[in-house]
């Protein structure tokens, strides 16, 4: 009788131990896949760059069902920082210490590595205006565009950690006669922080000559910037894009690149992962890989 009880107790202990092991093995949470919403220039660039081993672009394969789509850079960062298994992508210039930036293919996301071409996750920041308005842009809009094409603007680009685009840049000089009017800026949330710095420098250099220029911003994504530029009837709209202008829009949009930016792949600071490949990103964002442990096992 005593032997039977001992056997029973041992079996119960084994069952409890086995249950604990199985729970531990199956306790890893799925990756929380965080993406930008459709119409985002950052998403367009990311999905064009990220490809499978056989060369299929994420844009063609399609984002997995259940991905957490966010309409702003700031909400992607916030969600990744508060989600232990979160992964997302944002402009490198927007990253703060609440998230961890991964290497991609063993290369760090830095301005130097973007310039050299070693970091593959990169895209242009684009300034857009209406081709239909042409020379009918307002005096205030023309003057601000002249600054955006300047060497002083490129100094700001470099200071903020982006890659300069000096081709065609000339020195900006404040207008001899005072300029006034409203400039309406719409578009990419990724370019938005850089634009704040550029506006500040424009006001500083222009001084009293541009004191009457009011610059308003409504940054809700690249697609909003494109739509605003196409609809411009007053000549005071500037659009911001965080991916290359599509061939289909070339007929309506005049544009130039003001900077190159790295798309940073970010995870929660508690995540042990340090490096990821483009093919692994494809598998995560299509739903083929659902656990971070599968990456280390690959």
């Amino acid at each position: 009788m005593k032997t039977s009880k001992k056997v029973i107790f041992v079996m119960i202990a084994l069952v409890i131990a086995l249950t604990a092991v199985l729970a531990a093995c199956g306790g890893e949470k799925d990756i929380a896949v965080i993406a930008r919403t459709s119409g985002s220039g950052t998403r367009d660039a990311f999905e064009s760059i990220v490809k499978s081993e056989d060369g299929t672009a994420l844009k063609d394969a399609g984002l997995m069902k259940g991905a957490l789509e966010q309409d702003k850079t700031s909400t992607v960062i916030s969600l990744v920082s508060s989600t232990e298994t979160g992964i997302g992508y944002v402009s490198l210039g927007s990253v703060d210490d609440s998230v961890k930036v991964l290497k991609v293919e063993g290369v760090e996301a830095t301005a130097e590595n973007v310039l050299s071409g070693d970091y593959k996750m990169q895209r242009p920041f684009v300034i857009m205006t209406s081709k239909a308005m042409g020379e009918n842009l307002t005096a205030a809009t023309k003057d601000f565009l002249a600054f955006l094409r300047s060497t002083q603007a490129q100094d700001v680009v470099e200071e903020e950690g982006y890659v300069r685009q000096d081709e065609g840049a000339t020195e900006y000089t404040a207008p001899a006669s005072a300029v006034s009017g409203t400039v309406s800026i719409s578009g990419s949330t990724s370019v938005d922080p850089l634009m704040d710095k550029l506006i500040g420098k424009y006001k500083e250099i222009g001084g009293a000559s541009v004191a009457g220029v009011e610059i308003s911003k409504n940054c809700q994504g690249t697609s909003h910037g494109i739509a605003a530029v196409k609809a411009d009837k007053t000549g005071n709209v500037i659009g911001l894009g965080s991916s290359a202008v599509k061939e289909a829009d070339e007929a309506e949009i005049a544009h130039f690149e003001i900077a190159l930016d790295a798309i940073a792949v970010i995870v929660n600071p508690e995540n042990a992962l340090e490096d990821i490949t483009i093919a692994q990103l494809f598998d995560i964002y299509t739903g083929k890989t659902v656990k971070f442990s599968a990456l280390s096992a690959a």
Side-chain angles (χ1 to χ4, degrees):
M1 188 71 171
K2 288 181 180 180
T3 302
S4 298
K5 285 183 178 180
K6 184 181 289 186
V7 170
I8 291 171
F9 286 140
V10 169
M11 290 179 64
I12 292 173
L14 287 172
V15 170
I16 292 173
L18 182 60
T19 301
V21 170
L22 291 173
C25 292
E28 183 186 354
K29 293 181 180 179
D30 287 353
I31 299 171
V33 177
I34 301 162
R36 290 296 303 277
T37 52
S38 178
S40 158
T42 305
R43 174 168 170 172
D44 181 65
F46 180 82
E47 292 191 348
S48 296
I49 296 167
V50 171
K51 297 179 180 180
S52 65
E53 292 283 5
D54 66 6
T56 302
L58 176 57
K59 180 183 290 188
D60 297 324
L63 181 66
M64 64 168 284
K65 292 181 179 179
L68 305 174
E69 299 181 54
Q70 307 299 305
D71 62 357
K72 294 181 180 179
T73 299
S74 58
T75 57
V76 172
I77 293 173
S78 177
L79 196 52
V80 170
S81 69
S82 61
T83 308
E84 191 171 344
T85 58
I87 188 169
Y89 53 87
V90 295
S91 163
L92 179 61
S94 301
V95 170
D96 58 34
D97 58 9
S98 69
V99 294
K100 180 166 77 172
V101 178
L102 298 180
K103 293 178 182 178
V104 177
E105 308 281 356
V107 181
E108 291 185 16
T110 65
E112 293 77 15
N113 288 336
V114 169
L115 184 60
S116 69
D118 293 333
Y119 187 77
K120 305 303 181 185
M121 305 283 290
Q122 58 174 276
R123 43 69 184 278
F125 280 174
V126 182
I127 305 297
M128 305 177 288
T129 55
S130 167
K131 272 189 177 178
M133 295 309 299
E135 290 302 312
N136 294 320
L137 295 174
T138 66
T141 304
K142 286 181 179 178
D143 190 65
F144 186 53
L145 282 171
F147 167 75
L148 292 178
R149 289 182 177 275
S150 73
T151 53
Q152 295 100 316
Q154 286 304 310
D155 290 341
V156 174
V157 166
E158 186 173 30
E159 288 166 6
E160 294 305 306
Y162 303 99
V163 177
R164 300 175 68 106
Q165 297 289 277
D166 282 300
E167 186 176 352
T170 56
E171 185 175 359
Y172 171 78
T173 304
S177 301
V179 177
S180 63
T182 300
V183 179
S184 177
I185 296 176
S186 177
S188 169
T189 65
S190 296
V191 187
D192 190 18
L194 174 60
M195 184 52 60
D196 281 338
K197 300 293 185 180
L198 290 166
I199 292 170
K201 181 59 71 172
Y202 171 68
K203 289 290 188 175
E204 177 188 323
I205 297 174
S209 295
V210 302
V213 177
E214 296 183 11
I215 302 178
S216 64
K217 290 194 298 99
N218 180 23
C219 294
Q220 300 182 48
T222 296
S223 61
H224 290 268
I226 292 171
V229 166
K230 288 182 176 180
D232 182 20
K233 304 299 182 186
T234 57
N236 73 333
V237 176
I238 294 176
L240 308 179
S242 55
S243 61
V245 173
K246 292 181 173 62
E247 186 176 348
D249 294 322
E250 289 280 355
E252 296 179 78
I253 295 176
H255 58 90
F256 64 92
E257 294 180 5
I258 194 169
L260 283 179
D261 176 49
I263 301 177
V265 179
I266 57 173
V267 294
N268 186 277
E270 299 301 316
N271 196 319
L273 193 65
E274 298 291 340
D275 194 358
I276 197 165
T277 68
I278 288 175
Q280 286 172 336
L281 284 169
F282 179 90
D283 288 345
I284 288 171
Y285 275 83
T286 54
K288 181 179 178 181
T289 297
V290 297
K291 308 282 188 186
F292 278 118
S293 61
L295 301 182
S296 59

